[in-house]
Amino acid sequence: MCGIIGYAGYRDAIPEIIEGLKRLEYRGYDSAGVAVITDVGLWIEKREGRLSRLEECLNGRPQACIGVGHTRWATHGVPNDVNAHPHVDCQEEFAVVHNGIIENFGHLRRWLVQKGHVFRSQTDTEVLCHLIEDCYQGDLVEAVRKAIPYLEGSYAMAVISPKEPDKIVAIRKDSPLMVGLGEQEFFLASDIPAVLSRTNRFYVLEDGEMAIVTPTEVRLSSVDGNEVHKDVFTANWDPVQAEKNGHPHFMLKEIYEQPRALRDTMRGRIADGRIDFSDVQLDLFLQDVRKIFIVGCGTAYHAGMVGRHVIEKLARVPVEVDIASEFRYREVLWPENSILIVISQSGETADTLAVLREAKRRGIKVLAVTNVVGSSVAREADTVLYTWAGPEIAVASTKAYSTQVLLMYMIALFMAGQRETLPQEVITEMVKELTSLPDKIQQVLECSAEVEAIAGKYHRASSAFFLGRGLDYMIVLEGALKLKEISYIHAEAYAAGELKHGTLALIEEGVPVISLVTQDDLQDKMVSNIKEVKARKGTIIGITKEGMTKTIEECDEVITIPDTDQLFTPLLSVIPLQLLAYHIAVARGCDVDKPRNLAKSVTVE
C-alpha cells in the first residue's frame, strides 16, 4: 500500500509521476519514491515522510520517458528510506512498486536467500524484485508471468528494467490497478484521481490481467498469455470527487470499503479451518494466560467490549475491558500470567500509550491491535496484530472499527483452539462463517438507499436513543457515538433492561429509538422493551435479522441484515448504524468527514 503511478510517453517522466503521487496524498502514506530508466540504468530516489522531502532530492534529476512511483502506507517494515518503494533486486536491474500483501513472503525470502539473493529491506515487496530477477531469461513479461505462481496474497505491481527500457509490465490481483489512455502517452495508476488531469479514459484491470505499457501502445493479456480486449472506461468525475471513488464523502467511501478491509485482515491468517497467527508466534505469547485486560478509547473501547464477550465465551478466559483514560488511574490488580491488549486505530492515542507503558513497567506482556505500522503502540508492544484496513481519512472511524472487531473474533477463536475449549469441528465451522461475512456485509450495503430514506424522516430529531442487549448493546454504543460525532444530535445508548430504571422518563412522542435485535435468545425480552417504548409513543427504528418476524412486526421502521451466527452479527449490524448516522448528518448539512471539535488521532490526554 498505498499508491502506484507509472508513466510512458513523450514528456519528462518524473514531474508526471510526482504530480500523480500528489493527487494520491489523500489516501495517506508514510514514504514515497520514484524510479526511472535512463541511458545508464535505473535511477531511484525514495524518502520517508511527505512528498516534499522526496521533491527536495530531485534537483539534478535525469530526464526519462518511462518510470514508476509509489506512496507507501507501511504494512511490513517500519516507515524509513530503505523500506520505501520502489524496491530493486541484487544487481539493481529490476525496480518494483507494489500495493497489497504477499502472504508467503517469509518462505520466499528464505528460499531466495538460500539461492544467494541479498535483501536490504524488511518489506514483503522486495521478494518480488528478487523473484523476477531469478525468473528472468531475456523476456521481462515472461519473467513476471513465471513469478506469479509463486505468490500468495494480493498485489497490484508495476515493474521496469533497463534490460528492456521501453516498457512497464503491470499485473493485479485483489488490489486495484488501471491504465490511463492519453494522447501519445500512457499512465498506470492505482486510483483514477492520480492521472485525471491528463486523461479520463482508462482500462480497468481485473484480477489476473497484465498490461504491457510502452510510450506508443498498451497491450493487455491474461497471466497465462492470452490476449485480452477491454472496453474503455470513461470517468466523468471532477478531481475532488475522484479522490473519493465517486462517493460524496470519505466516510461513505470507507463504509463501502469494509468488505475489502475485512478480507485483507483475514488474508494469510486462516489455514485449514483454523486461525493462524504463527507469523507473530501468538501461541507462545498467550500460553498459560489466566486473565486478559483490554483497553481502548472511544470506538476502540467499543471493539474491546466485543472482544471481552467473545474471548470469555469461546476461550473461557476472564477478561476486563476499560476506557484507557480511566484504567490508567486505577489501582489495577494484575494476577499472575495476565496480559494487556491495547486497541488503537492510529497507534498514537495518548491515554492508551500511557496504559501500555505502565503495564510494561510492571512486567505485563502487551499485545497491540492497531492500523498503523511503525506507530508508537506498535513499536512499544511485545507483539502486534495489524488491522489491514488501509488509511482511514474520515474522522469518524468505520472500517478501522470493523477490522478491530474482526481481530477480536480471530483472537478468541485462536485461543479456543489453543486451549481446546471448543471442538475443532466447531471452530472450523465458525471460521468458515467468519470468512463469509464480507459478502454478507456487501448485501447490507445494498440497503443504503433504504437507510437514507429513514434518515430523511428523522434527521430533525433533537435526541435519539439506542437500545440493545448482550452483544447488541455493545454495538448500539458505537451507533450512538457515530450519530453524536457527525450529526451533533444528542444520542444515548442503553442496555435495554435498564429502561425501567430511569430511561423511560425520557421517551415521548416521536422520539426515535433505534433498537438492535439480532440475538436469538434475547429476542423476546427485546420485544417487551420495544412495546414499553411504543406505549410511550416513541418511534422504533429496528435493525434485526431477516428471520426475526416477531421483532419486525413491532417496528415502525425496519432494516434487516442477512442471517448469520448470532455471535458474528456485530460485524453486520454496525453497517446500517454507520449508514444511518452518515445519511442523517448529510441531511442536516454537517461536515461529515471533519466534525467540529474532533481530531482523527488523539495524541493528548
Side-chain angles (χ1 to χ4, degrees), residues 229-248:
H229 299 279
K230 300 184 77 70
D231 293 332
V232 174
F233 169 71
T234 301
N236 295 315
W237 300 343
D238 64 64
V240 173
Q241 187 186 31
E243 291 179 356
K244 300 165 185 170
N245 279 6
H247 295 294

PDB file of all heavy atoms in Angstrom, residues 229-248:
ATOM      1  N   HIS A 229      -9.164  -8.184 -24.550  1.00  0.00           N
ATOM      2  CA  HIS A 229      -9.759  -6.989 -25.146  1.00  0.00           C
ATOM      3  C   HIS A 229     -10.745  -6.397 -24.142  1.00  0.00           C
ATOM      4  O   HIS A 229     -11.596  -7.112 -23.605  1.00  0.00           O
ATOM      5  CB  HIS A 229     -10.474  -7.342 -26.453  1.00  0.00           C
ATOM      6  CG  HIS A 229      -9.560  -7.914 -27.502  1.00  0.00           C
ATOM      7  ND1 HIS A 229      -8.760  -7.125 -28.304  1.00  0.00           N
ATOM      8  CD2 HIS A 229      -9.312  -9.209 -27.850  1.00  0.00           C
ATOM      9  CE1 HIS A 229      -8.067  -7.898 -29.118  1.00  0.00           C
ATOM     10  NE2 HIS A 229      -8.377  -9.172 -28.866  1.00  0.00           N
ATOM     11  N   LYS A 230     -10.649  -5.102 -23.897  1.00  0.00           N
ATOM     12  CA  LYS A 230     -11.498  -4.468 -22.890  1.00  0.00           C
ATOM     13  C   LYS A 230     -12.132  -3.208 -23.461  1.00  0.00           C
ATOM     14  O   LYS A 230     -11.557  -2.539 -24.335  1.00  0.00           O
ATOM     15  CB  LYS A 230     -10.680  -4.063 -21.642  1.00  0.00           C
ATOM     16  CG  LYS A 230      -9.991  -5.205 -20.945  1.00  0.00           C
ATOM     17  CD  LYS A 230      -9.288  -4.735 -19.685  1.00  0.00           C
ATOM     18  CE  LYS A 230     -10.243  -4.511 -18.558  1.00  0.00           C
ATOM     19  NZ  LYS A 230     -10.824  -5.748 -18.026  1.00  0.00           N
ATOM     20  N   ASP A 231     -13.293  -2.861 -22.932  1.00  0.00           N
ATOM     21  CA  ASP A 231     -13.896  -1.577 -23.239  1.00  0.00           C
ATOM     22  C   ASP A 231     -13.170  -0.486 -22.462  1.00  0.00           C
ATOM     23  O   ASP A 231     -12.661  -0.720 -21.353  1.00  0.00           O
ATOM     24  CB  ASP A 231     -15.375  -1.573 -22.846  1.00  0.00           C
ATOM     25  CG  ASP A 231     -16.205  -2.516 -23.715  1.00  0.00           C
ATOM     26  OD1 ASP A 231     -15.801  -2.739 -24.874  1.00  0.00           O
ATOM     27  OD2 ASP A 231     -17.225  -3.021 -23.216  1.00  0.00           O
ATOM     28  N   VAL A 232     -13.145   0.692 -23.021  1.00  0.00           N
ATOM     29  CA  VAL A 232     -12.555   1.849 -22.341  1.00  0.00           C
ATOM     30  C   VAL A 232     -13.575   2.403 -21.352  1.00  0.00           C
ATOM     31  O   VAL A 232     -14.752   2.609 -21.700  1.00  0.00           O
ATOM     32  CB  VAL A 232     -12.143   2.929 -23.354  1.00  0.00           C
ATOM     33  CG1 VAL A 232     -11.674   4.189 -22.626  1.00  0.00           C
ATOM     34  CG2 VAL A 232     -11.048   2.404 -24.271  1.00  0.00           C
ATOM     35  N   PHE A 233     -13.136   2.614 -20.110  1.00  0.00           N
ATOM     36  CA  PHE A 233     -13.979   3.245 -19.096  1.00  0.00           C
ATOM     37  C   PHE A 233     -13.713   4.740 -19.100  1.00  0.00           C
ATOM     38  O   PHE A 233     -12.559   5.175 -18.992  1.00  0.00           O
ATOM     39  CB  PHE A 233     -13.682   2.669 -17.712  1.00  0.00           C
ATOM     40  CG  PHE A 233     -14.320   3.433 -16.579  1.00  0.00           C
ATOM     41  CD1 PHE A 233     -15.685   3.392 -16.380  1.00  0.00           C
ATOM     42  CD2 PHE A 233     -13.546   4.213 -15.721  1.00  0.00           C
ATOM     43  CE1 PHE A 233     -16.280   4.101 -15.351  1.00  0.00           C
ATOM     44  CE2 PHE A 233     -14.125   4.920 -14.684  1.00  0.00           C
ATOM     45  CZ  PHE A 233     -15.494   4.863 -14.496  1.00  0.00           C
ATOM     46  N   THR A 234     -14.765   5.535 -19.228  1.00  0.00           N
ATOM     47  CA  THR A 234     -14.628   6.988 -19.202  1.00  0.00           C
ATOM     48  C   THR A 234     -15.094   7.504 -17.850  1.00  0.00           C
ATOM     49  O   THR A 234     -16.253   7.288 -17.450  1.00  0.00           O
ATOM     50  CB  THR A 234     -15.460   7.639 -20.321  1.00  0.00           C
ATOM     51  OG1 THR A 234     -15.012   7.127 -21.585  1.00  0.00           O
ATOM     52  CG2 THR A 234     -15.281   9.157 -20.314  1.00  0.00           C
ATOM     53  N   ALA A 235     -14.201   8.175 -17.127  1.00  0.00           N
ATOM     54  CA  ALA A 235     -14.503   8.694 -15.786  1.00  0.00           C
ATOM     55  C   ALA A 235     -14.939  10.145 -15.899  1.00  0.00           C
ATOM     56  O   ALA A 235     -14.110  11.031 -16.126  1.00  0.00           O
ATOM     57  CB  ALA A 235     -13.279   8.577 -14.879  1.00  0.00           C
ATOM     58  N   ASN A 236     -16.231  10.372 -15.754  1.00  0.00           N
ATOM     59  CA  ASN A 236     -16.750  11.742 -15.812  1.00  0.00           C
ATOM     60  C   ASN A 236     -16.869  12.309 -14.401  1.00  0.00           C
ATOM     61  O   ASN A 236     -17.947  12.667 -13.938  1.00  0.00           O
ATOM     62  CB  ASN A 236     -18.107  11.749 -16.525  1.00  0.00           C
ATOM     63  CG  ASN A 236     -17.984  11.351 -17.976  1.00  0.00           C
ATOM     64  OD1 ASN A 236     -17.089  11.821 -18.666  1.00  0.00           O
ATOM     65  ND2 ASN A 236     -18.858  10.460 -18.432  1.00  0.00           N
ATOM     66  N   TRP A 237     -15.743  12.363 -13.709  1.00  0.00           N
ATOM     67  CA  TRP A 237     -15.693  12.865 -12.337  1.00  0.00           C
ATOM     68  C   TRP A 237     -14.839  14.117 -12.305  1.00  0.00           C
ATOM     69  O   TRP A 237     -13.866  14.249 -13.059  1.00  0.00           O
ATOM     70  CB  TRP A 237     -15.054  11.843 -11.389  1.00  0.00           C
ATOM     71  CG  TRP A 237     -15.749  10.532 -11.295  1.00  0.00           C
ATOM     72  CD1 TRP A 237     -17.020  10.225 -11.685  1.00  0.00           C
ATOM     73  CD2 TRP A 237     -15.196   9.318 -10.754  1.00  0.00           C
ATOM     74  NE1 TRP A 237     -17.308   8.913 -11.418  1.00  0.00           N
ATOM     75  CE2 TRP A 237     -16.202   8.326 -10.845  1.00  0.00           C
ATOM     76  CE3 TRP A 237     -13.975   8.982 -10.195  1.00  0.00           C
ATOM     77  CZ2 TRP A 237     -16.018   7.033 -10.402  1.00  0.00           C
ATOM     78  CZ3 TRP A 237     -13.782   7.686  -9.755  1.00  0.00           C
ATOM     79  CH2 TRP A 237     -14.795   6.724  -9.855  1.00  0.00           C
ATOM     80  N   ASP A 238     -15.161  15.003 -11.372  1.00  0.00           N
ATOM     81  CA  ASP A 238     -14.207  16.081 -11.127  1.00  0.00           C
ATOM     82  C   ASP A 238     -13.123  15.532 -10.199  1.00  0.00           C
ATOM     83  O   ASP A 238     -13.313  14.523  -9.521  1.00  0.00           O
ATOM     84  CB  ASP A 238     -14.899  17.310 -10.519  1.00  0.00           C
ATOM     85  CG  ASP A 238     -15.483  17.039  -9.145  1.00  0.00           C
ATOM     86  OD1 ASP A 238     -14.704  16.760  -8.212  1.00  0.00           O
ATOM     87  OD2 ASP A 238     -16.720  17.088  -8.997  1.00  0.00           O
ATOM     88  N   PRO A 239     -11.945  16.175 -10.136  1.00  0.00           N
ATOM     89  CA  PRO A 239     -10.813  15.610  -9.378  1.00  0.00           C
ATOM     90  C   PRO A 239     -11.109  15.360  -7.910  1.00  0.00           C
ATOM     91  O   PRO A 239     -10.672  14.362  -7.345  1.00  0.00           O
ATOM     92  CB  PRO A 239      -9.715  16.662  -9.559  1.00  0.00           C
ATOM     93  CG  PRO A 239     -10.039  17.317 -10.865  1.00  0.00           C
ATOM     94  CD  PRO A 239     -11.537  17.354 -10.927  1.00  0.00           C
ATOM     95  N   VAL A 240     -11.860  16.258  -7.246  1.00  0.00           N
ATOM     96  CA  VAL A 240     -12.139  16.062  -5.821  1.00  0.00           C
ATOM     97  C   VAL A 240     -13.030  14.844  -5.620  1.00  0.00           C
ATOM     98  O   VAL A 240     -12.805  14.018  -4.745  1.00  0.00           O
ATOM     99  CB  VAL A 240     -12.799  17.328  -5.228  1.00  0.00           C
ATOM    100  CG1 VAL A 240     -13.237  17.054  -3.787  1.00  0.00           C
ATOM    101  CG2 VAL A 240     -11.820  18.497  -5.269  1.00  0.00           C
ATOM    102  N   GLN A 241     -14.050  14.712  -6.479  1.00  0.00           N
ATOM    103  CA  GLN A 241     -14.929  13.559  -6.377  1.00  0.00           C
ATOM    104  C   GLN A 241     -14.155  12.273  -6.657  1.00  0.00           C
ATOM    105  O   GLN A 241     -14.407  11.232  -6.037  1.00  0.00           O
ATOM    106  CB  GLN A 241     -16.098  13.704  -7.360  1.00  0.00           C
ATOM    107  CG  GLN A 241     -17.157  12.614  -7.206  1.00  0.00           C
ATOM    108  CD  GLN A 241     -18.221  12.683  -8.272  1.00  0.00           C
ATOM    109  OE1 GLN A 241     -17.940  13.092  -9.396  1.00  0.00           O
ATOM    110  NE2 GLN A 241     -19.427  12.283  -7.935  1.00  0.00           N
ATOM    111  N   ALA A 242     -13.205  12.358  -7.562  1.00  0.00           N
ATOM    112  CA  ALA A 242     -12.446  11.163  -7.936  1.00  0.00           C
ATOM    113  C   ALA A 242     -11.633  10.626  -6.768  1.00  0.00           C
ATOM    114  O   ALA A 242     -11.460   9.419  -6.621  1.00  0.00           O
ATOM    115  CB  ALA A 242     -11.518  11.485  -9.106  1.00  0.00           C
ATOM    116  N   GLU A 243     -11.129  11.504  -5.917  1.00  0.00           N
ATOM    117  CA  GLU A 243     -10.370  11.053  -4.749  1.00  0.00           C
ATOM    118  C   GLU A 243     -11.210  10.137  -3.865  1.00  0.00           C
ATOM    119  O   GLU A 243     -10.696   9.282  -3.166  1.00  0.00           O
ATOM    120  CB  GLU A 243      -9.903  12.257  -3.925  1.00  0.00           C
ATOM    121  CG  GLU A 243      -8.838  13.093  -4.612  1.00  0.00           C
ATOM    122  CD  GLU A 243      -8.430  14.286  -3.784  1.00  0.00           C
ATOM    123  OE1 GLU A 243      -9.042  14.484  -2.698  1.00  0.00           O
ATOM    124  OE2 GLU A 243      -7.530  15.022  -4.197  1.00  0.00           O
ATOM    125  N   LYS A 244     -12.507  10.336  -3.922  1.00  0.00           N
ATOM    126  CA  LYS A 244     -13.411   9.569  -3.080  1.00  0.00           C
ATOM    127  C   LYS A 244     -14.074   8.431  -3.851  1.00  0.00           C
ATOM    128  O   LYS A 244     -15.100   7.900  -3.427  1.00  0.00           O
ATOM    129  CB  LYS A 244     -14.472  10.506  -2.496  1.00  0.00           C
ATOM    130  CG  LYS A 244     -13.857  11.623  -1.655  1.00  0.00           C
ATOM    131  CD  LYS A 244     -14.843  12.741  -1.390  1.00  0.00           C
ATOM    132  CE  LYS A 244     -14.118  13.883  -0.659  1.00  0.00           C
ATOM    133  NZ  LYS A 244     -14.946  15.092  -0.566  1.00  0.00           N
ATOM    134  N   ASN A 245     -13.475   8.062  -4.990  1.00  0.00           N
ATOM    135  CA  ASN A 245     -14.036   6.989  -5.827  1.00  0.00           C
ATOM    136  C   ASN A 245     -15.485   7.268  -6.206  1.00  0.00           C
ATOM    137  O   ASN A 245     -16.303   6.358  -6.307  1.00  0.00           O
ATOM    138  CB  ASN A 245     -13.938   5.635  -5.119  1.00  0.00           C
ATOM    139  CG  ASN A 245     -12.564   5.023  -5.252  1.00  0.00           C
ATOM    140  OD1 ASN A 245     -11.654   5.643  -5.778  1.00  0.00           O
ATOM    141  ND2 ASN A 245     -12.409   3.816  -4.763  1.00  0.00           N
ATOM    142  N   GLY A 246     -15.795   8.545  -6.405  1.00  0.00           N
ATOM    143  CA  GLY A 246     -17.137   8.917  -6.807  1.00  0.00           C
ATOM    144  C   GLY A 246     -18.097   9.121  -5.655  1.00  0.00           C
ATOM    145  O   GLY A 246     -19.213   9.593  -5.865  1.00  0.00           O
ATOM    146  N   HIS A 247     -17.700   8.767  -4.427  1.00  0.00           N
ATOM    147  CA  HIS A 247     -18.562   8.984  -3.264  1.00  0.00           C
ATOM    148  C   HIS A 247     -18.497  10.451  -2.844  1.00  0.00           C
ATOM    149  O   HIS A 247     -17.450  11.106  -2.987  1.00  0.00           O
ATOM    150  CB  HIS A 247     -18.122   8.106  -2.097  1.00  0.00           C
ATOM    151  CG  HIS A 247     -18.280   6.642  -2.347  1.00  0.00           C
ATOM    152  ND1 HIS A 247     -19.505   6.035  -2.499  1.00  0.00           N
ATOM    153  CD2 HIS A 247     -17.362   5.649  -2.482  1.00  0.00           C
ATOM    154  CE1 HIS A 247     -19.344   4.741  -2.709  1.00  0.00           C
ATOM    155  NE2 HIS A 247     -18.054   4.481  -2.710  1.00  0.00           N
ATOM    156  N   PRO A 248     -19.563  10.996  -2.284  1.00  0.00           N
ATOM    157  CA  PRO A 248     -19.539  12.407  -1.886  1.00  0.00           C
ATOM    158  C   PRO A 248     -18.663  12.692  -0.676  1.00  0.00           C
ATOM    159  O   PRO A 248     -18.259  13.836  -0.466  1.00  0.00           O
ATOM    160  CB  PRO A 248     -21.013  12.716  -1.586  1.00  0.00           C
ATOM    161  CG  PRO A 248     -21.641  11.392  -1.314  1.00  0.00           C
ATOM    162  CD  PRO A 248     -20.899  10.396  -2.152  1.00  0.00           C
TER     163      PRO A 248
END
